[in-house]
Amino acid sequence: GTRVHAVTEVIAATGCRLTSLQALNLEDLDIDGGEIELGVSEKYAVGQTDLVGTRTGALPEERLRALRTYIEHERIPWICTDEPEPLFTTCHGRASIETLQRSIQAMMRAALGDSHSADLACVVTQVDSDGECVQLSAKHIRRYYIIKVTEE
């Protein structure tokens, strides 16, 4: 039900990038329909052509439960009435990409143990058979997270 739990659930379900995650507004989430509308970055060809500016991601019930709990119990209400309400907030407004990164890093440190440094490159690593850090891609992190969640 925490923000980092909701963030990781959205990432695991949709594979979205932090920029799309940070840009999400409350209106982009359809809790009843189990979907979330994600922006497509302009740096991708489809974003540059204006053919498609968004994509829809399906959210299974267990992921929706984490989002509902976050929204109902932890999310800080948005007081600015002339802008869309951000989905992920802090006491200063919309959660920044850096805030989301720090939250995910802390969650990964807790999952992987404190033997890795606070450096993102090391937090998103695994140790090979020789004891060396091997960097993992976002795909590996999502798989690791999904495995950890399903084992609990």
Side-chain angles (χ1 to χ4, degrees):
T2 65
R3 183 180 63 225
V4 71
H5 183 199
V7 163
T8 55
E9 291 292 0
V10 171
I11 290 172
T14 65
C16 72
R17 297 175 184 268
L18 283 178
T19 52
S20 295
L21 192 72
Q22 191 259 348
L24 283 172
N25 294 317
L26 203 51
E27 65 191 25
D28 297 328
L29 177 63
D30 177 6
I31 293 241
D32 297 328
E35 295 181 336
I36 194 162
E37 193 171 301
L38 299 157
V40 177
S41 174
E42 289 185 16
K43 76 178 191 177
Y44 299 105
V46 74
Q48 292 172 358
T49 61
D50 290 329
L51 294 175
V52 177
T54 61
R55 69 179 175 93
T56 302
L59 296 170
E61 182 54 39
E62 63 273 7
R63 304 208 192 290
L64 285 169
R65 202 169 321 129
L67 281 162
R68 266 191 217 99
T69 304
Y70 163 72
I71 291 167
E72 292 171 7
H73 300 287
E74 187 181 319
R75 184 180 170 275
I76 299 169
W78 183 245
I79 56 171
C80 185
T81 57
D82 56 341
E83 292 181 27
E85 281 190 76
L87 178 57
F88 298 109
T89 59
T90 69
C91 60
H92 302 291
R94 183 179 298 273
S96 68
I97 290 174
E98 293 79 15
T99 296
L100 296 172
Q101 280 178 327
R102 280 191 305 273
S103 298
I104 293 167
Q105 286 173 354
M107 187 268 315
M108 291 301 293
R109 271 195 303 278
L112 294 172
D114 291 328
S115 62
H116 294 283
S117 74
D119 177 43
L120 179 60
C122 194
V123 172
V124 245
T125 61
Q126 69 181 15
V127 179
D128 66 13
S129 59
D130 297 328
E132 296 294 319
C133 287
V134 179
Q135 187 159 349
L136 300 175
S137 68
K139 176 177 68 175
H140 292 103
I141 294 166
R142 284 191 297 275
R143 280 189 195 146
Y144 175 81
Y145 176 74
I146 290 167
I147 290 167
K148 287 298 265 185
V149 168
T150 56
E151 285 177 348
E152 294 175 356

